[in-house]
Amino acid sequence: MFRLKKLVKGLDIIEIRGSGEVAVSGLSSHSKRVGPGHLFITRPEWGERTEAYVREAVEAGAVAVLTDLVNPLLQGCTQVICEQPRQLESILAARFYRYPASELAMVGLTGTNGKTTTAYMARQLLELLEGPYGLLGTVEWQVADQSYGAQLTTPDAITLQRFLREMATAKSVGAVMEVTSHGLVQGRVDQIDYDVAVFTNLTQDHLDYHLTMEAYGAAKAELFAGLGRGAKESVAVVNWDDPWAVRMVAECSAPVIKFGLRDGVDLQARAIEIGPSSTRFVVTYHGQVAMVETCFVGEHNVYNMLAAMGIALARRHPLARVAALCASCTPVIGRLEPVGNSRGLSVFVDFAHTDDALRRACRAIKSAHTGRLLVVFGAGGDRDRAKRPKMAQACQEEADYAIVTSDNPRNEEPMAICREITAGFTRDCYEVEVDRRRAIQRALQLARPGDAILIAGKGHEATQLIQGQALPFRDQEVAAELLAELQR
């Protein structure tokens, strides 16, 4: 609980209209989440809707509003006027929750693909080495024994700081979190001083928001530009095989652990052996050598494991101990997740929703299977349209046959999305079935014993977003039901 004037003291405030003595019991930037005693933070992008949201917040009990425009008709609450309310949101959130990140070992991962898998790997390793860690990512947010369905990969600043405070209160050693380009640009993580920051890779995605790859890359690089400038001794862990790696750390003042498969890195994987259900490789680090065995399959998961190991090494744990614990890491939901069956098929569900991720998933499956590879995939609506034909090209290069279907069409026409995808095919190796359930059924009908099927795009998701509705749909459950029907 803060007095309003103490909470905003020293910030770039133009004026306070009303009492600065009101007690603030919470913060919110969403009118539906306001409770009695809250400070409601507005956002300029709301435009004409702002007045309605403010009115709703006051009716719900807000005692103060942070805004860039004075409302002379507003009654019943204090108005705090500033030029950029959103820029103050992360500062206020960190202040209100008493800077929880300073009490935790903070690990942030950014990149287009691999964040979730690496985050789970890293958390498992760190918990075995140090004790309990919280998790904030695409699949879920975890605090102690509690798991919450993730609403955003990187939460808004208020939610983020609240969860970090809960982790600190629960005596967590630290937190592993995925840091998105949106979260960086929008300042959600501005008040977090990271102990370790990781770069996995950068390929095309989110250009509907960033417009260019240069802007997308610059957003990711913000995570590393901030390293080493706070009170903590920070370390960057970077995939040096990625073409964007040098750009990521161009303004980084912290030490860098470079990982990859090529020569010239600090942490290198060699002699890689990929099997149907495991991967083995030799790892070297500053003259030390160890053997790693993991249940994660595919070259892309070698990179993910190297990143997770790099985090542990940055935390000053010995290579031999870290390498031995890699065998204890368990698979991640919706990341090359197998669907068991008795038809002699290898069926996998994966979150791959970019051309690069689709290519990596296909290669991982092919490296361990000799039969045909059939892929069911689509593309999300209201998102980067330029990647759609590229996904078809990736599938054409790596798979034997594709069934193009709906992913999360959102507010777009599903068939229109499919047409934009199929424009990328240059040979007759696909068909279109807009209904996702029927598309999965079609793949299972076409498959022969020894074949592999990849159902891509949704991974861990339990719903399909269509015209403003979230309809129940889990690829794993649908595939299992259809396999059971075929086995009757």
Side-chain angles (χ1 to χ4, degrees):
M1 186 85 70
F2 279 83
R3 293 293 176 188
L4 178 62
K5 66 179 183 181
K6 182 179 179 181
L7 184 61
V8 302
K9 184 179 180 180
L11 301 184
D12 191 12
I13 301 299
I14 297 172
E15 67 172 312
I16 297 177
R17 288 206 167 191
S19 174
E21 297 295 332
V22 294
V24 177
S25 63
L27 306 177
S28 181
S29 57
H30 194 301
S31 60
K32 300 294 186 185
R33 300 174 191 159
V34 173
H38 277 205
L39 167 63
F40 180 58
I41 302 171
T42 66
R43 293 178 177 171
E45 62 264 31
W46 293 342
E48 295 179 354
R49 296 171 294 170
T50 302
E51 186 177 342
Y53 292 155
V54 169
R55 185 165 53 250
E56 186 175 12
V58 173
E59 290 173 355
V63 294
V65 175
L66 182 69
T67 180
D68 60 339
L69 294 174
V70 176
N71 183 347
L73 302 179
L74 184 61
Q75 301 293 322
C77 78
T78 299
Q79 298 181 66
V80 182
I81 314 302
C82 68
E83 290 187 355
Q84 298 290 338
R86 186 165 201 159
Q87 291 183 3
L88 296 184
E89 183 175 335
S90 60
I91 300 174
L92 288 167
R95 185 176 287 186
F96 184 85
Y97 289 106
R98 307 186 312 282
Y99 302 96
S102 65
E103 303 172 32
L104 300 165
M106 294 298 305
V107 178
L109 303 99
T110 200
T112 306
N113 300 309
K115 295 190 299 297
T116 297
T117 300
T118 304
Y120 274 88
M121 289 175 172
R123 186 197 188 206
Q124 292 179 68
L125 287 176
L126 292 171
E127 289 205 316
L128 291 168
L129 291 163
E130 300 179 15
Y133 266 71
L135 178 72
L136 294 163
T138 304
V139 177
E140 61 187 335
W141 303 336
Q142 289 189 346
V143 180
D145 296 330
Q146 296 296 315
S147 177
Y148 307 87
Q151 299 167 15
L152 292 172
T153 298
T154 304
D156 65 85
I158 297 169
T159 304
L160 173 57
Q161 295 292 342
R162 176 167 59 83
F163 269 86
L164 293 179
R165 172 45 59 197
E166 290 181 12
M167 292 176 195
T169 301
K171 305 300 182 184
S172 295
V173 176
V176 177
M177 63 176 294
E178 299 177 46
V179 185
T180 62
S181 55
H182 293 69
L184 286 159
V185 169
Q186 295 171 6
R188 301 178 205 166
V189 298
D190 281 357
Q191 296 299 303
I192 295 178
D193 192 5
Y194 289 97
D195 295 74
V196 185
V198 181
F199 171 65
T200 59
N201 51 65
L202 193 78
T203 58
Q204 183 175 325
D205 200 10
H206 304 304
L207 296 195
D208 55 309
Y209 183 82
H210 296 289
L211 302 182
T212 67
M213 284 297 294
E214 287 70 26
Y216 181 34
K220 296 288 191 185
E222 288 184 21
L223 179 62
F224 303 93
L227 285 186
R229 297 181 180 178
K232 294 181 176 180
E233 294 183 5
S234 305
V235 179
V237 177
V238 177
N239 175 6
W240 210 247
D241 290 352
D242 190 273
W244 287 85
V246 175
R247 171 68 182 84
M248 285 299 117
V249 295
E251 298 180 26
C252 178
S253 59
V256 178
I257 295 176
K258 305 171 184 176
F259 71 87
L261 309 189
R262 302 175 188 172
D263 293 337
V265 296
D266 303 299
L267 181 64
Q268 183 183 31
R270 293 188 283 189
I272 300 169
E273 301 174 11
I274 300 174
S277 58
S278 66
T279 299
R280 288 166 52 90
F281 58 90
V282 174
V283 64
T284 62
Y285 180 65
H286 293 169
Q288 304 171 66
V289 181
M291 176 63 72
V292 173
E293 184 163 0
T294 171
C295 66
F296 293 85
V297 176
E299 185 179 273
H300 69 296
N301 276 321
V302 175
Y303 279 100
N304 293 337
M305 186 59 78
L306 284 175
M309 294 178 70
I311 293 167
L313 293 169
R315 296 283 295 156
R316 301 183 180 178
H317 297 289
L319 177 65
R321 175 70 172 146
V322 174
L325 290 175
C326 290
S328 301
C329 294
T330 56
V332 181
I333 182 172
R335 270 62 179 175
L336 284 183
E337 183 180 352
V339 181
N341 65 92
S342 59
R343 297 191 68 219
L345 303 176
S346 295
V347 182
F348 298 91
V349 171
D350 194 82
F351 191 52
H353 59 282
T354 68
D355 58 303
D356 180 68
L358 193 57
R359 189 176 284 108
R360 290 169 187 255
C362 288
R363 288 177 179 173
I365 295 171
K366 287 165 58 181
S367 68
H369 295 82
T370 57
R372 296 181 305 159
L373 173 59
L374 303 124
V375 178
V376 179
F377 79 101
D382 302 333
R383 297 294 186 270
D384 184 3
R385 295 172 60 182
K387 71 180 181 181
R388 294 172 184 176
K390 293 183 179 181
M391 294 179 70
Q393 292 164 14
C395 195
Q396 178 175 274
E397 292 168 9
E398 303 295 339
D400 294 282
Y401 196 71
I403 301 171
V404 179
T405 188
S406 284
D407 188 294
N408 289 313
R410 297 184 177 86
N411 297 307
E412 288 193 60
E413 172 57 43
M415 182 55 79
I417 297 174
C418 291
R419 282 195 293 268
E420 292 189 5
I421 293 171
T422 57
F425 286 107
T426 58
R427 57 186 176 86
D428 186 16
C429 59
Y430 71 94
E431 62 186 81
V432 175
E433 173 50 72
V434 173
D435 183 279
R436 193 171 180 90
R437 183 184 182 89
R438 287 202 292 265
I440 296 171
Q441 183 179 48
R442 175 65 173 156
L444 295 173
Q445 291 170 340
L446 290 173
R448 302 188 293 263
D451 287 348
I453 298 172
L454 171 62
I455 306 169
K458 291 178 59 59
H460 61 281
E461 295 176 354
T463 60
Q464 192 172 23
L465 306 177
I466 302 174
Q467 295 297 323
Q469 292 185 295
L471 305 177
F473 197 105
R474 282 183 60 87
D475 285 345
Q476 297 90 329
E477 293 176 0
V478 171
E481 290 170 6
L482 292 171
L483 281 163
E485 291 176 8
L486 292 171
Q487 290 164 15
R488 289 172 188 160

